[in-house]
Amino acid sequence: DHIFEKVNPEMEKLGFECKCLGGGKIEHNSKDKKIRVFGLSTGYGKADHSVTVEILKKVYTDYEITWSDDKK
């Protein structure tokens, strides 16, 4: 909620219409080159974490990136 509420007004200024499809958390371990996507937003529900992982893989090509429905 905090990130969407901050970013959405700036996106609207650029002419974009935004809708939050869900949320979660990202745990980034740069030392071990691992990223874990998990959890959900209390306000927006759970995002499709598989989509998030596919986006992250484009940038973090040498990382192990996983996702789960775990809350913690």
Side-chain angles (χ1 to χ4, degrees):
D1 184 42
H2 303 294
I3 294 170
F4 182 73
E5 295 301 322
K6 182 178 180 180
V7 172
N8 188 45
E10 296 301 317
M11 297 298 287
E12 287 178 343
K13 286 180 189 175
L14 296 172
F16 292 99
E17 182 179 327
C18 300
K19 179 179 178 184
C20 185
L21 302 176
K25 296 177 178 67
I26 298 175
E27 182 178 86
H28 181 194
N29 182 330
S30 59
K31 180 182 171 216
D32 295 333
K33 293 194 172 193
K34 292 183 178 183
I35 296 176
R36 182 172 75 107
V37 181
F38 64 101
L40 54 91
S41 164
T42 55
Y44 295 104
K46 186 179 86 62
D48 184 343
H49 296 327
S50 66
V51 172
T52 306
V53 167
E54 291 308 311
I55 293 168
L56 289 168
K57 283 182 178 180
K58 291 176 183 177
V59 177
Y60 296 93
T61 56
D62 57 341
Y63 272 64
E64 176 186 335
I65 305 175
T66 60
W67 70 271
S68 74
D69 289 330
D70 296 344
K71 292 186 168 72
K72 293 185 178 190

